[in-house]
Amino acid sequence: MFRILIILCVIGVCLTGCTSGTYKAPVTDRGRPPGERIGHHIVAKGETLYSIAWRYNVDYHALAAANGVGSTYHIYPGQRLTLDVTRVPPKPSIKRTTKTVVSAPPKVDPSWHWPASGKLIATFSSNGGLNKGIDIQGKLGEPVHAAAAGIVVYSGSGLRGYGKLLIVKHNAKFLSAYAHNRRLLAKEGERVKRGQKIAEMGSSGTDAVKLHFEIRFDGTPVDPMKYLPRR
């Protein structure tokens, strides 16, 4: 009888230990990219201010201002960037009596060109949809062209879901992106012309050969079909 009581006591201790609040199952967050934290981002090797702003859908000007980054937009690996860009005071506006300032993006700035010649297979999804651009079908290795003249501000594969990606800055307002390439032909800092071959179409970061193309105005995704010419 005494041995039975000892066994019951041991079982009770084990059950108490298993159900106590001190045990925590390991948790793995697979949905958050490396370097991403709540409220801030730790710069990883190969990232640029533009690619980070692209990831979080913010204007690169605002991101730079919120973090005291100079006009060269130089950042370094390990740098901690706050993502709270909403508190940045807006630039003072100039009052005009003869002209009304329109905040909507202009339709003819800059001059746009189709980045690839294939069939359109996915269109822009507004109101927070998953597709922030358009998808163009093609064959492996087909040319990808710069949609407008500008400077390459990112060339790499550090943005999850984009594969091998190029981001081109066209002016202070407009950026464009070219994703899922097989090979990137333009380097960061390179000035490209409208229609210039800048990459080869591929399937990096996706399950089919296609070009994912985006246009952003002040950091906000806009429908590329409103800017590209009719075919």
Side-chain angles (χ1 to χ4, degrees), residues 47-171:
E47 290 185 317
T48 68
L49 186 79
Y50 299 92
S51 67
I52 295 171
W54 196 278
R55 168 178 286 175
Y56 297 105
N57 294 333
V58 297
D59 179 26
Y60 68 91
H61 297 101
L63 183 62
N67 290 279
V69 177
S71 58
T72 60
Y73 303 123
H74 175 73
I75 57 177
Y76 54 88
Q79 184 176 357
R80 184 181 186 276
L81 298 178
T82 179
L83 300 176
D84 186 6
V85 300
T86 59
R87 298 180 183 178
V88 179
K91 296 180 180 180
S93 58
I94 301 175
K95 293 184 178 180
R96 300 179 184 272
T97 57
T98 60
K99 186 177 181 180
T100 302
V101 177
V102 180
S103 59
K107 291 187 176 181
V108 190
D109 183 11
S111 177
W112 297 97
H113 178 278
W114 277 85
S117 58
K119 178 183 177 182
L120 184 67
I121 56 175
T123 56
F124 177 80
S125 300
S126 58
N127 301 323
L130 294 178
N131 197 345
K132 299 174 183 177
I134 60 174
D135 292 347
I136 302 173
Q137 190 178 49
K139 296 180 181 179
L140 190 66
E142 283 188 339
V144 173
H145 304 281
I151 298 175
V152 177
V153 292
Y154 180 76
S155 177
S157 55
L159 269 73
R160 186 181 58 175
Y162 284 89
K164 292 184 179 180
L165 170 72
L166 285 174
I167 299 177
V168 178
K169 175 186 175 183
H170 303 290
N171 53 35

Side-chain angles (χ1 to χ4, degrees), residues 139-141 179-182 200-204 206 208-211:
K139 296 180 181 179
L140 190 66
H180 306 314
N181 299 288
R182 178 180 72 172
E200 292 179 355
M201 194 176 294
S203 58
S204 59
T206 187
V209 176
K210 62 182 177 181
L211 171 68

Side-chain angles (χ1 to χ4, degrees), residues 184-197:
L184 304 177
L185 303 177
K187 299 178 180 179
E188 287 180 16
E190 180 178 346
R191 187 175 294 275
V192 296
K193 298 178 181 180
R194 175 178 177 265
Q196 178 180 333
K197 182 180 177 181

